[in-house]
């Protein structure tokens, strides 16, 4: 694969990863990851870190709610925070790779690929919120749970992380661009004398002296 193709694939991966990070953060900040339907067909939104009031206002999970977590809520919340964190590390590695290549850290592109795999898994863990007994268990107040807009964003983020994983794994590694400032510095010019130039000058002076002695 030529360097141009490898560079284009890496730029596409970089932009797609930025989009995946934006989707992950939008998922974290939304209170509409799932919609809890009541027997009267009223819908109440619940997010990874917040929930919706009847007035439509979103509030963070209170201490009472956190105490009644059954574990699935915490798994979903931790996955929602870890996935974009790992993706941000891959962005840092990609930027450093453009300047210094992938030989400055051990493993080449193995470490970014593993980080992207972790982002896929952690983003998928956000759907454990649907296993919550507190928010999504069938009871007198909750009849069913449906996917909200944040859940669809989480699906898109997972797909984007997966595509970035494939592109990074199968794509080539472009040559590093180097440090642009180092190319602006003037290079010192060294004067090189021809090899054996001093010996040739001595030989010519010696031959001139011998010619003068013969003429005398």
């Amino acid at each position: 694969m030529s360097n141009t193709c490898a560079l284009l694939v890496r730029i596409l991966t970089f932009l797609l990863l930025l989009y995946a990070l934006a989707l992950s953060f939008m998922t974290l900040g939304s209170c509409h990851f799932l919609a809890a339907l009541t027997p009267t067909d009223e819908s109440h939104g619940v997010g990874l870190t917040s929930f919706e009031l009847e007035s439509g206002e979103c509030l963070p999970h209170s201490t009472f709610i956190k105490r009644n977590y059954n574990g699935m809520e915490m798994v979903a919340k931790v996955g929602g925070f870890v996935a974009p964190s790992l993706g941000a590390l891959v962005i840092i590695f990609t930027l450093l790779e453009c300047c210094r290549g992938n030989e400055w850290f051990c493993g080449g592109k193995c470490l970014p690929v593993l980080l992207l795999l972790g982002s896929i898994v952690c983003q998928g863990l956000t759907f454990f919120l649907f296993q919550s007994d507190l928010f999504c268990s069938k009871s007198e107040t909750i009849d069913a749970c449906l996917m909200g807009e944040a859940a669809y964003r989480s699906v898109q983020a997972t797909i984007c992380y997966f595509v970035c994983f494939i592109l990074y794994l199968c794509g080539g590694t472009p040559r590093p661009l180097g440090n642009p400032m180092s190319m602006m510095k003037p290079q010192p010019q060294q004067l090189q004398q021809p090899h054996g130039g001093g010996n040739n000058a001595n030989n010519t002076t010696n031959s001139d002296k011998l010619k003068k002695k013969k003429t005398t």
Side-chain angles (χ1 to χ4, degrees), residues 10 13 17 86-87 89-95 97 102 104-120 161 164-166 168-169:
R10 194 53 52 88
T13 305
L17 188 55
L86 297 179
L89 288 177
V90 177
I91 287 181
I92 295 174
F93 279 116
T94 304
L95 293 176
E97 183 187 45
N102 65 346
W104 64 275
F105 58 92
C106 298
K109 62 180 182 180
C110 180
L111 183 57
V113 166
L114 291 177
L115 292 175
L116 286 172
L117 182 61
S119 296
I120 298 170
Y161 285 131
C164 291
F165 171 79
I166 297 299
Y168 213 111
L169 179 64

Side-chain angles (χ1 to χ4, degrees), residues 36-44 54:
L37 297 179
T38 63
T40 59
D41 290 336
E42 293 182 359
S43 177
H44 299 285
E54 294 181 357

Side-chain angles (χ1 to χ4, degrees), residues 8 14 42 47 154 172 176 182:
L8 290 176
F14 182 80
E42 293 182 359
S154 185
S182 62

Side-chain angles (χ1 to χ4, degrees), residues 21-77:
L21 289 179
L23 292 172
S24 294
F25 285 120
M26 292 171 67
T27 301
L28 277 174
S30 176
C31 63
H32 295 91
F33 191 88
L34 60 86
L37 297 179
T38 63
T40 59
D41 290 336
E42 293 182 359
S43 177
H44 299 285
V46 178
L48 298 176
T49 59
S50 60
F51 65 99
E52 184 184 16
L53 297 177
E54 294 181 357
S55 60
E57 183 182 1
C58 293
L59 291 180
H61 291 174
S62 62
T63 305
F64 173 77
I65 294 177
K66 294 178 181 179
R67 288 176 180 175
N68 289 275
Y69 279 175
N70 67 343
M72 298 301 173
E73 300 89 353
M74 186 59 65
V75 170
K77 182 185 294 186

Side-chain angles (χ1 to χ4, degrees), residues 96-174:
L96 292 176
E97 183 187 45
C98 291
C99 298
R100 304 183 60 179
N102 65 346
E103 298 179 354
W104 64 275
F105 58 92
C106 298
K109 62 180 182 180
C110 180
L111 183 57
V113 166
L114 291 177
L115 292 175
L116 286 172
L117 182 61
S119 296
I120 298 170
V121 174
C122 291
Q123 192 66 42
L125 291 179
T126 57
F127 294 95
F128 272 78
L129 191 65
F130 287 93
Q131 301 297 323
S132 171
D133 294 334
L134 183 62
F135 298 128
C136 206
S137 63
K138 192 170 183 179
S139 61
E140 296 179 357
T141 58
I142 301 175
D143 192 23
C145 284
L146 301 177
M147 291 179 60
E149 57 182 13
Y152 288 105
R153 292 195 187 106
S154 185
V155 172
Q156 294 176 14
T158 305
I159 295 174
C160 290
Y161 285 131
F162 178 75
V163 175
C164 291
F165 171 79
I166 297 299
L167 291 177
Y168 213 111
L169 179 64
C170 301
T173 302

